[in-house]
């Protein structure tokens, strides 16, 4: 059984979907820990409720990234628990060398837009205001670009005339909860190859 970890900064609905899908057997993995950069993250509370180790690691002085000494503490926590796959689920920090080197090819992220459109933050609103007719979500490998690593899976949802950004975000979130599990299963199975930027399933 492979060990996974979830890094989350906020409310943790993607985490919740992962926990439930582990509990019902849709993901065959052990959730070794949930780590947050926010002491009061709802995600940590959700983990504790399910008997999963919830770890807060002080993020240090920077707002959007971790200085190397701090990022190394995240690496150590993950290595101590022999984590095979790191799943970012609303972890609002850009990863840098310590994590990307220690877990090369083993960190994935979910993003609430159809990348490469709308990288960054508050993207459901940005897509809505841009006037796109479809948006969606993307699970991708994490590399040293912002939301730019190879795409594992995506799904599209329509943007309807009477939507609001919140309604659109909720429609996307429902799909996030579904496709993150699919992506985790694919990566854990190892049944893929990466050809340039293309993640291709193999049987
Ligand atoms: C999700 O919509 C996730 O895609 C997004 O944060 C939200 C976290 O929600 N992530 C990003 O925007 C990363 N760039 P959750 O805490 O309920 O899972």
């Amino acid at each position: 059984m492979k060990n996974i970890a979830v890094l989350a900064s906020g409310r943790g609905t993607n985490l919740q979907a992962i926990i439930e899908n582990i509990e019902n057997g849709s993901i065959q993995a052990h959730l070794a820990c949930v780590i947050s950069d926010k002491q009061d993250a709802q995600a940590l509370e959700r983990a504790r409720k399910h008997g999963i180790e919830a770890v807060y690691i002080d993020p240090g002085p920077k707002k959007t990234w971790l200085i190397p000494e701090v990022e190394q503490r995240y690496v150590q926590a993950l290595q101590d628990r022999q984590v095979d796959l790191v799943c970012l689920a609303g972890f609002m920090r850009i990863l840098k060398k310590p994590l990307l080197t220690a877990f090369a090819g083993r960190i994935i992220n979910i993003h609430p837009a159809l990348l490469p459109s709308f990288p960054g933050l508050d993207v459901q609103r940005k897509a809505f205001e841009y006037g796109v007719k479809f948006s969606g979500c993307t699970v991708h490998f994490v590399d040293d670009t912002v939301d730019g690593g190879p795409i594992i899976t995506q799904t599209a949802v329509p943007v309807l005339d009477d939507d609001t950004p919140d309604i659109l975000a909720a429609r996307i979130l429902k799909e996030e909860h579904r496709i993150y599990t699919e992506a985790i299963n694919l990566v854990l199975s190892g049944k893929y190859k990466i050809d340039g930027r293309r993640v291709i399933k193999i049987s």
Side-chain angles (χ1 to χ4, degrees):
M1 185 91 90
K2 295 253 171 87
N3 285 327
I4 68 172
V6 172
L7 268 58
S9 301
R11 67 188 167 178
T13 68
N14 275 287
L15 166 68
Q16 187 70 40
I18 292 168
I19 291 173
E20 286 169 14
N21 284 335
I22 288 176
E23 287 178 351
N24 71 24
S26 303
I27 299 173
Q28 289 186 4
H30 171 63
L31 182 47
C33 62
V34 173
I35 304 181
S36 185
D37 57 336
K38 295 255 173 17
Q39 201 154 20
D40 59 352
Q42 202 187 336
L44 291 177
E45 196 46 45
R46 289 180 192 269
R48 286 186 204 104
K49 270 199 187 130
H50 288 261
I52 295 155
E53 188 184 7
V55 183
Y56 162 70
I57 303 179
D58 186 329
K62 303 291 177 190
K63 270 214 154 73
T64 57
W65 55 288
L66 304 163
I67 60 171
E69 304 89 282
V70 172
E71 195 168 304
Q72 189 54 39
R73 282 183 213 135
Y74 281 72
V75 170
Q76 194 60 52
L78 294 163
Q79 287 176 338
D80 286 348
R81 291 160 183 84
Q82 297 179 312
V83 167
D84 300 295
L85 177 66
V86 180
C87 305
L88 308 184
F91 187 67
M92 295 307 189
R93 288 183 186 263
I94 295 160
L95 304 192
K96 295 191 177 287
K97 246 203 173 124
L99 273 162
L100 294 174
T101 308
F103 290 90
R106 296 191 292 141
I107 307 178
I108 62 177
N109 179 48
I110 183 131
H111 183 75
L114 290 176
L115 293 169
S117 292
F118 306 108
L121 297 175
D122 200 17
V123 296
Q124 300 96 327
R125 175 178 301 279
K126 286 175 187 160
F128 176 85
E129 286 174 356
Y130 192 92
V132 296
K133 299 299 182 194
F134 285 90
S135 190
C137 45
T138 305
V139 183
H140 62 92
F141 285 105
V142 176
D143 62 13
D144 58 0
T145 61
V146 175
D147 298 324
I151 291 170
I152 302 164
T153 188
Q154 292 186 300
T155 203
V157 303
V159 182
L160 305 177
D161 287 346
D162 56 357
D163 273 353
T164 63
D166 286 348
I167 291 172
L168 175 61
R171 189 176 301 125
I172 294 170
L173 189 63
K174 196 165 166 231
E175 296 303 312
E176 293 185 41
H177 296 165
R178 186 176 62 76
I179 71 165
Y180 213 179
T181 287
E182 286 177 10
I184 290 168
N185 280 331
L186 178 67
V187 175
L188 288 178
S189 77
K191 290 183 178 163
Y192 65 93
K193 61 177 182 174
I194 302 181
D195 180 9
R197 289 194 42 85
R198 303 183 68 225
V199 179
I200 298 166
K201 284 187 200 170
I202 51 178
S203 45

